[in-house]
Amino acid sequence: MVNRASLPRLMAILAIVALLALGGCMPAAPGAPAAPAPVKAGVKTLTIAQDTDPGTADPQLTTEEYFLPLNLYDRLVEAVTTTPGKSELQPGLAEKWDVTPDGLKYTFHLRKGAKFHNGDILTADDVIFTFDRMLDPAIKALNTDFLDMIAGATARMDGKATSTSGLKKIDDNTVEITLAAPFAPFLANLATPAGSIFSKKYVEKIGKDFGIKPVGTGPFKLDSWTYNSELQLSAFDDYFRGRPKFDQLIMKIVPEAQTQALMFRKGELDAFDLDYARSQIPEFKKDAQWKDRIVSGPRVGTYYMSINSKIPPFDNPKVREAVMYAIDRQTLIDKLYYGTGIPAKGILAPGLAGYNPDLPGFKYDPEKAKALLKEAGFPNGIEMTLNQTVDSPSTLKMNEALQAMLAQVGIKAEIKQMDSAAWSGTRKEGKLGSYTSSWSADFNDPDNFIYTFFAPRNAVARSWNYENKAVQDQLEKARVMTDMQARYKLYQEIEKTIVYQDFAFVPLFHLEHLFVVHPKVKNFKVSWNGWSNMPYYGIEIVE
Amino acid sequence: MLRYLLRRLLQAIPVIIGTTFLTFILLEVVPGDPIAMMMKEHIDPDVVERVRKEMHLDDPWPQRYVRYMAGVLRGDFGESYKTRRDVGELLANAFPATLALTASALLVAWGIGIPAGIIAATRPYSPSDHAMTVFALLGVSVPVFWLGLLFQLIFGWKLGWLPISGFKGVQYLIMPAIVLGASSAAVIARLTRSSLLEVMGSDYIRTARAKGLRNLIVLVRHALKNSLLPVVTVMAIQVAELLSGAVITESVFGIPGVGRVSVKAIQQRDFPLLMGSVIMAVVLVVVGNLIADISYAYLDPRIRYE
């Protein structure tokens, strides 16, 4: 059975297999819809990149992958960036709306004739279907907290109702939404990606594949999606605000920041998000070719260090206070972020409604920190942990800097690195020690920061274990207030108590978000909240 | 032979059950919650609790394991938690890219490795042998991501000969194939050299030479075939290894292969996706070894399978 001349034959077979594999696999791009079309001459294209594939285009199923939702869909109301760091609620798919004085009933008058990418016309049924779908337990949605204030939402989520009682169709172009209790930021909530509107007919037809083959009313439609490689979008001719000023939007998935930077320099990318490679900020700033091509905007967000009040000695407020003065915020900004930020004094970020510019802040004062530790009964210092995930070298840099600063006042911080799922799992249990992180606004309201962080269950799930009944009762109260000025005032009081009396939140800084863009890209604006994912509708491409 | 094949394939079943079970238990033991991981900074304990229930994550583990494996038997590998995509589809879509990368990398590895090993073995301790040793040492020790970046910098950007990243044609595979193939080539070259040297010293080679055969004939007809037995073993392992995904190369060059899918699955605790990747890797290893065993019989007539 053994052939004498088998070796050459074996080698030949291997070579043929290899060639077949090469030839056979290359042309057929793996992945969803159709094969990507080649980029044609004269077609105005914007090519950008991000490091992870969004996975799904369904904003009900993701809390962070918003590139597709911001460009494929519209919302009833839109948060439009006016000037850097500022936003304004403007009509979207709803032309206008009325709110009853008690803040419970919202009536939305829909734009007539807004078209979906597949030709369907938007009606009230689509809006009701979309919002009800988020709350439908069969969908297993992750973004329910943007809509769970609607009357009947809880019953719907618990499977006790087959529809949401607070969603009502008045006529084809009018939707009435009733809330379970007044919720001042409701409109702002609807302006987030989670409030994106889908076509009922289409979603019912396509079913589970909606996340891969999405259809919206937005300025761009999805043409092809090669998972982990590339997404191609093109201008939607019938967009109700008018066709975008360029033809094609390509999102490449490039995991390595260094690779992205090279692609940008070579011209394979038109814009480069410097969040991916902060160490390259000085390089681009010095480079004559690029220094004038850096676009920067504030991030309506706060970087902070967490403190777990259940882990001794941090149950002692004096110890927590000592940490506040032990950190040299300006040096962190200068050394780690090349001066592109300002020290934070509280929880809320500049640009956010209700931001308090008059907070005193914590000056770097190692002597005071030492004295406070002594007062707390720890003249020889304390030990703590700084916890982070293994895959973030930038967090490690930051933690090493903090470690050095804390050591100056006698706090011995051990940096503990763990797998990201273990990190988030431990944190969810309320058992994680200190960590550094950041939060950027989903919508322009203090509730998005303060409730998200300090509502009792949330404070545990973030491993802060903050407990102050008076403050936490006020949080609930602020949610249902309708007098905005009084509401903001209350939030400012809450913020002061949490940061300057309970010392439960260590503000670090607010950073700018920098992008560098090729000259052919005009009108590139950082979104009001400073997110990496942004709507690209306003951009122009000049060749 | 057919019976042998069948028996070997049947042996794969307990291997698959064993590995999936171990993977499953490991995932149970390590800390981490896929829903908390998906929500990241947007963590909301109420949502986590509800979605865990909706996804049946709170059911006892034996029940979940059996449910999953029952699905696998019906050809249903489940749905990825994070992307909600069909696991079978995700892996099937990623496989062609990995297959192309593997094939081209092995073309480089074997195409360079075997000849280099032969040259080195036929002229032991000559300059070309030393050069090969240095090349092998470099190939094994240079990290893939570093070499990848260097290539991108030189050939992608400075010279502009090749695309930096992506997967849209043969030109996109040249750099990754060389970078990924380099370390495998080095291993193959060293192995071929030592194995061939050993065979060249054996009695039957002396006999062949004594018959007056030319050096080349002695080498190709008599020595090489026997010396390739250990090399084929390693080649089979390389095939299986690379087909399970070369995550670093895939990441550096933006190739949408299975390596990136399965590493993400581990990070996300995306259990169905991870189980799918494990099953695929096991099948590949089993098949790879089987092919190696069969090729032994071709290389060495004394080996027979009944």
Side-chain angles (χ1 to χ4, degrees):
Chain A
M1 68 168 252
V2 174
N3 190 330
R4 282 266 126 202
S6 54
L7 178 68
R9 182 185 290 184
L10 178 68
M11 295 301 269
I13 291 171
L14 283 173
I16 290 167
V17 168
L19 286 174
L20 278 180
L22 275 173
C25 304
M26 289 312 303
V39 178
K40 276 174 251 139
V43 175
K44 288 179 177 172
T45 305
L46 175 71
T47 310
I48 44 176
Q50 65 180 37
D51 64 355
T52 321
D53 192 283
T56 177
D58 187 341
Q60 304 188 334
L61 304 182
T62 172
T63 58
E64 56 174 6
E65 293 296 349
Y66 291 152
F67 160 66
L68 287 170
L70 286 167
N71 290 288
L72 295 178
Y73 314 113
D74 289 288
R75 284 126 304 259
L76 292 180
V77 191
E78 301 283 352
V80 178
T81 307
T82 48
T83 55
K86 296 267 182 218
S87 69
E88 197 178 273
L89 287 182
Q90 288 179 9
L93 291 175
E95 262 173 341
K96 54 188 185 354
W97 51 87
D98 320 301
V99 191
T100 51
D102 59 3
L104 279 174
K105 257 195 184 111
Y106 287 72
T107 310
F108 294 95
H109 305 278
L110 303 182
R111 191 179 291 273
K112 290 196 182 88
K115 237 189 211 169
F116 285 98
H117 303 151
N118 66 345
D120 290 351
I121 304 287
L122 172 89
T123 70
D125 291 324
D126 297 317
V127 177
I128 290 172
F129 167 80
T130 304
F131 290 170
D132 179 66
R133 180 180 182 268
M134 173 84 92
L135 303 166
D136 179 355
I139 299 299
K140 303 168 199 149
L142 294 181
N143 259 337
T144 46
D145 53 348
F146 289 100
L147 297 177
D148 63 6
M149 63 295 290
I150 296 173
T154 313
R156 179 67 168 130
M157 287 191 289
D158 292 346
K160 288 177 192 140
T162 51
S163 64
T164 312
S165 60
L167 299 169
K168 206 166 122 198
K169 174 181 173 178
I170 303 294
D171 60 47
D172 266 354
N173 294 302
T174 318
V175 180
E176 183 190 88
I177 300 179
T178 313
L179 305 187
F183 182 63
F186 182 63
L187 279 176
N189 257 279
L190 293 185
T192 64
S196 301
I197 304 295
F198 316 144
S199 157
K200 175 177 192 239
K201 256 192 274 171
Y202 180 76
V203 177
E204 281 179 343
K205 195 183 80 193
I206 194 96
K208 275 180 118 46
D209 277 349
F210 179 66
I212 310 174
K213 295 173 181 158
V215 150
T217 54
F220 297 94
K221 53 189 172 48
L222 182 66
D223 294 338
S224 78
W225 186 343
T226 310
Y227 185 71
N228 265 345
S229 182
E230 189 171 302
L231 295 95
Q232 291 195 358
L233 286 72
S234 62
F236 176 40
D237 293 329
D238 295 332
Y239 185 49
F240 70 82
R241 287 181 212 274
R243 186 184 188 277
K245 295 196 181 82
F246 62 101
D247 311 301
Q248 205 175 22
L249 173 57
I250 295 178
M251 171 62 88
K252 295 197 175 197
I253 310 302
V254 184
E256 294 295 325
Q258 294 295 337
T259 309
Q260 278 193 30
L262 279 179
M263 290 171 81
F264 174 77
R265 285 173 184 275
K266 194 185 170 188
E268 288 180 24
L269 295 178
D270 298 324
F272 177 44
D273 185 345
L274 285 166
D275 256 19
Y276 286 126
R278 290 216 175 85
S279 59
Q280 303 209 357
I281 291 177
E283 239 176 276
F284 279 107
K285 277 191 164 170
K286 264 185 287 175
D287 195 326
Q289 190 186 353
W290 298 116
K291 67 175 196 285
D292 300 324
R293 303 297 316 154
I294 293 174
V295 179
S296 148
R299 194 187 307 264
V300 178
T302 306
Y303 281 71
Y304 60 87
M305 185 180 115
S306 78
I307 288 185
N308 191 331
S309 308
K310 280 259 164 73
I311 297 179
F314 290 104
D315 48 352
N316 184 334
K318 280 268 179 276
V319 174
R320 303 200 291 262
E321 191 182 358
V323 174
M324 298 284 183
Y325 293 100
I327 297 167
D328 182 355
R329 295 167 175 81
Q330 192 60 52
T331 300
L332 287 177
I333 296 168
D334 291 343
K335 298 287 177 205
L336 296 178
Y337 301 99
Y338 310 99
T340 59
I342 53 167
K345 299 169 174 177
I347 303 163
L348 305 181
L352 194 81
Y355 169 70
N356 182 359
D358 301 325
L359 289 173
F362 296 97
K363 263 181 69 184
Y364 176 52
D365 191 344
E367 290 312 315
K368 184 162 183 181
K370 272 188 224 166
L372 281 162
L373 280 181
K374 208 168 163 186
E375 225 179 289
F378 301 98
N380 301 319
I382 57 163
E383 286 180 12
M384 66 178 289
T385 57
L386 279 169
N387 300 271
Q388 69 162 99
T389 58
V390 284
D391 51 3
S392 178
S394 59
T395 311
L396 182 61
K397 262 192 197 170
M398 163 104 115
N399 282 337
E400 283 170 346
L402 284 173
Q403 187 181 39
M405 287 173 185
L406 292 167
Q408 296 285 316
V409 304
I411 300 176
K412 213 178 136 221
E414 181 202 347
I415 297 174
K416 270 176 123 174
Q417 299 199 49
M418 52 185 108
D419 162 53
S420 44
W423 185 92
S424 54
T426 316
R427 183 171 74 150
K428 187 197 76 175
E429 306 290 318
K431 291 178 181 147
L432 193 68
S434 288
Y435 59 88
T436 52
S437 186
S438 69
W439 177 266
S440 299
D442 292 307
F443 55 92
N444 190 5
D445 193 274
D447 177 84
N448 185 229
F449 281 65
I450 296 190
Y451 190 86
T452 307
F453 288 169
F454 297 102
R457 281 169 57 82
N458 291 349
V460 176
R462 285 169 197 277
S463 274
W464 300 359
N465 291 309
Y466 176 70
E467 278 172 17
N468 183 333
K469 184 142 190 334
V471 164
Q472 283 161 335
D473 286 347
Q474 279 178 326
L475 273 183
E476 296 294 341
K477 191 180 142 204
R479 284 207 121 184
V480 300
M481 283 170 72
T482 46
D483 175 350
M484 287 310 236
Q485 286 320 311
R487 223 179 129 245
Y488 294 153
K489 245 196 139 86
L490 181 57
Y491 275 118
Q492 292 183 351
E493 271 168 44
I494 294 173
E495 182 184 28
K496 233 189 229 165
T497 313
I498 293 172
V499 181
Y500 289 87
Q501 185 185 310
D502 295 336
F503 307 105
F505 176 92
V506 187
L508 291 177
F509 34 74
H510 311 290
L511 291 184
E512 297 270 312
H513 195 159
L514 278 68
F515 295 81
V516 49
V517 292
H518 273 272
K520 75 172 208 188
V521 184
K522 300 287 175 217
N523 206 18
F524 188 98
K525 268 198 287 191
V526 179
S527 270
W528 68 274
N529 50 11
W531 279 355
S532 289
N533 286 155
M534 58 173 90
Y536 292 100
Y537 178 59
I539 282 174
E540 278 180 63
I541 303 288
V542 288
E543 295 291 350
Chain B
M1 187 69 185
L2 203 67
R3 270 185 54 192
Y4 170 77
L5 267 181
L6 208 66
R7 203 174 64 226
R8 284 291 302 267
L9 284 175
L10 283 176
Q11 277 170 5
I13 293 170
V15 176
I16 289 173
I17 294 177
T19 40
T20 51
F21 190 73
L22 275 178
T23 312
F24 192 90
I25 296 294
L26 267 174
L27 275 178
E28 277 303 302
V29 176
V30 296
D33 174 355
I35 314 298
M37 185 61 205
M38 276 196 279
M39 297 192 73
K40 291 208 179 117
E41 285 315 297
H42 285 82
I43 178 108
D44 179 319
D46 297 326
V47 176
V48 173
E49 202 175 279
R50 180 177 52 74
V51 176
R52 281 188 67 90
K53 210 160 70 198
E54 286 163 0
M55 288 187 170
H56 304 288
L57 289 176
D58 293 326
D59 294 354
W61 68 263
Q63 195 181 335
R64 279 185 292 133
Y65 180 72
V66 169
R67 190 190 301 134
Y68 181 79
M69 291 311 279
V72 170
L73 283 181
R74 290 192 306 267
D76 175 10
F77 289 83
E79 185 187 271
S80 151
Y81 291 157
K82 165 110 178 142
T83 65
R84 313 285 173 104
R85 292 177 184 225
D86 185 77
V87 167
E89 236 167 76
L90 265 177
L91 290 171
N93 285 341
F95 194 67
T98 293
L99 190 62
L101 178 62
T102 302
S104 51
L106 290 179
L107 211 62
V108 171
W110 300 349
I112 295 174
I114 294 176
I118 294 172
I119 292 167
T122 46
R123 299 175 185 79
Y125 311 109
S126 67
S128 53
D129 183 22
H130 288 306
M132 200 279 285
T133 308
V134 171
F135 158 77
L137 206 64
L138 274 177
V140 173
S141 36
V142 167
V144 167
F145 67 87
W146 183 83
L147 191 62
L149 273 174
L150 193 73
F151 270 51
Q152 287 179 328
L153 195 69
I154 297 171
F155 301 106
W157 184 39
K158 293 279 182 198
L159 297 174
W161 292 350
L162 294 165
I164 294 171
S165 163
F167 181 67
K168 284 191 200 160
V170 177
Q171 71 272 29
Y172 285 83
L173 275 177
I174 298 173
M175 285 199 287
I178 295 172
V179 167
L180 184 60
S183 65
S184 307
V187 172
I188 292 290
R190 290 300 292 172
L191 203 64
T192 308
R193 176 187 181 275
S194 61
S195 174
L196 192 57
L197 270 180
E198 200 185 307
V199 172
M200 292 296 269
S202 58
D203 291 342
Y204 77 92
I205 296 294
R206 202 172 313 132
T207 311
R209 286 226 170 95
K211 279 200 297 188
L213 288 178
R214 279 185 321 173
N215 254 339
L216 191 68
I217 304 274
V218 173
L219 185 75
V220 175
R221 291 282 297 269
H222 299 271
L224 194 57
K225 241 171 75 178
N226 274 319
S227 69
L228 279 182
L229 268 180
V231 181
V232 166
T233 313
V234 171
M235 285 164 122
I237 295 169
Q238 284 181 342
V239 172
E241 232 175 51
L242 291 183
L243 282 180
S244 316
V247 66
I248 299 174
T249 310
E250 286 175 11
S251 293
V252 170
F253 292 101
I255 295 168
V258 288
R260 275 162 73 195
V261 173
S262 45
V263 167
K264 261 268 144 44
I266 298 171
Q267 287 170 349
Q268 296 281 350
R269 301 285 190 271
D270 197 329
F271 158 80
L273 190 53
L274 181 56
M275 293 292 266
S277 316
V278 168
I279 293 175
M280 193 175 115
V282 169
V283 170
L284 287 171
V285 170
V286 169
V287 171
N289 278 319
L290 193 57
I291 292 173
D293 284 349
I294 292 166
S295 51
Y296 288 162
Y298 281 90
L299 291 171
D300 186 343
R302 287 167 302 181
I303 299 172
R304 281 177 193 278
Y305 301 108
E306 303 303 335

